[in-house]
């Protein structure tokens, strides 16, 4: 299916949003599948951005290397930088896919532009992931307690992830006039 055909189909879905007669189950499934694909892309990009944000500040790998070490190899986490980064990327892409699907199903905020909704809900989503990461992944599964400054940077990194993910998904989602077009300002930049 060509990009222009997909755009037409997405536009017809958004024009009939809230009207059950115009959207069949198949097109709704396609809509969610497209949103999940955008979430996967956004999760990949947002994870790279978050990792680039956190590495110079914390000067350490994401704690996913600890997960790999504790549950797979049983040895030192410092010996598994590639596995830790790959697992971190997997978490980010998976979380992005979930966000994309949820974002496509949420209709209460349709009164604001998708880009704005993406930023707002991406921020909230990033903070939920951060809280889950601290409470479940670090404290319960890995028995890691972060110091106050590390905790603040952990939360900041997930906020950066959420903002990046939300901006990506929101700028490429339904209601955007032409998601393939680059943003231009009045002077042509």
């Amino acid at each position: 299916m060509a990009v222009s055909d997909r755009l037409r189909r997405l536009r017809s879905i958004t024009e009939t949003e809230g009207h059950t007669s115009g959207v069949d189950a198949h097109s709704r499934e396609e809509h969610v599948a497209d949103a999940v694909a955008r979430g996967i892309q956004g999760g990949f990009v947002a994870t790279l951005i978050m990792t680039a944000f956190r590495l110079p500040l914390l000067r350490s790998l994401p704690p996913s290397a600890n997960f790999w070490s504790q549950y797979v190899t049983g040895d030192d986490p410092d010996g598994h930088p590639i596995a830790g980064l790959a697992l971190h990327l997997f978490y980010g892409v998976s979380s992005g896919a979930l966000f994309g699907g949820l974002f496509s199903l949420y209709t209460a905020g349709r009164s604001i532009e998708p880009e704005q909704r993406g930023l707002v809900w991406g921020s909230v989503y990033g903070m939920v992931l951060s809280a889950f990461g601290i409470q479940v992944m670090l404290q319960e599964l890995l028995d890691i307690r972060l110091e106050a400054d590390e905790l603040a940077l952990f939360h900041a990194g997930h906020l950066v992830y959420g903002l990046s993910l939300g901006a990506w998904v929101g700028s490429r989602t339904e209601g955007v006039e032409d998601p393939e077009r680059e943003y231009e300002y009045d002077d042509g930049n």
Side-chain angles (χ1 to χ4, degrees), residues 99 103 109-123 163 166-167 169-171 173 176 183:
F99 178 79
F103 190 79
R110 298 263 187 229
S111 61
I112 62 173
E113 295 296 321
E115 294 92 342
Q116 295 165 351
R117 272 189 299 129
L119 289 171
V120 169
W121 289 113
S123 299
L163 285 167
V169 172
S171 67
T173 194
V176 176
Y183 285 97

Side-chain angles (χ1 to χ4, degrees), residues 58-174:
L58 291 172
R59 295 179 294 281
S60 67
L61 291 174
S64 49
N66 295 65
F67 185 88
W68 183 264
S69 174
Q70 186 169 333
Y71 290 100
V72 177
T73 64
D75 56 1
D76 186 24
D78 291 334
H80 303 286
I82 302 300
L85 287 171
L87 193 54
H88 193 245
L89 188 61
F90 174 74
Y91 293 156
V93 169
S94 301
S95 296
L98 179 61
F99 178 79
L102 292 172
F103 190 79
S104 74
L105 297 174
Y106 179 73
T107 59
R110 298 263 187 229
S111 61
I112 62 173
E113 295 296 321
E115 294 92 342
Q116 295 165 351
R117 272 189 299 129
L119 289 171
V120 169
W121 289 113
S123 299
V124 171
Y125 189 72
M127 296 290 53
V128 168
L129 290 178
S130 189
F132 175 81
I134 292 292
Q135 295 297 316
V136 176
M137 298 301 290
L138 293 184
Q139 292 181 0
E140 295 298 322
L141 293 177
L142 299 174
D143 197 30
I144 294 174
R145 305 293 188 257
L146 297 178
E147 294 179 20
D149 58 341
E150 294 171 324
L151 183 62
L153 290 173
F154 186 86
H155 289 312
H158 284 86
L159 180 59
V160 166
Y161 172 85
L163 285 167
S164 302
L165 175 63
W168 181 276
V169 172
S171 67
R172 287 160 176 79
T173 194
E174 76 285 340

